[in-house]
């Protein structure tokens, strides 16, 4: 059975922007899933823990984190 890494639901969009709800389904111990963004991202982590890698380095995001 193949694992689905995330469910993406578009909430709203306009000229040059969009708002999406992304729900990660990965479990502890599963292979890492890399998500790439072509544009600037604002993200709120509702729950769970995620490794983030950007131009300025790496960090750990957890529930309640805000990524700008």
């Amino acid at each position: 059975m193949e694992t689905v890494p995330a469910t993406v639901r578009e909430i709203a969009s306009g000229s040059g922007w969009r708002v999406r709800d992304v729900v990660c389904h990965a479990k502890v111990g599963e292979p890492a899933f890399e998500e790439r963004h072509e544009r600037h991202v604002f993200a709120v982590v509702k729950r769970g823990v995620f490794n983030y890698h950007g131009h300025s380095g790496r960090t750990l995001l957890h529930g309640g984190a805000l990524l700008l």
Side-chain angles (χ1 to χ4, degrees), residues 52-68:
Y52 178 79
H53 174 197
H55 292 292
S56 60
R58 295 176 184 266
T59 192
L60 186 65
L61 300 174
H62 54 82
L66 177 63
L67 171 68
L68 302 175

Side-chain angles (χ1 to χ4, degrees), residues 4 6 8 13 15 19 25 29 31 35 37 43-45 47 50 54 56 58 62-65 67:
V4 176
V8 180
S13 64
S15 179
V19 176
H25 301 289
E35 185 177 334
H37 302 278
V44 175
V45 179
R47 65 177 174 223
F50 303 90
S56 60
R58 295 176 184 266
H62 54 82
L67 171 68

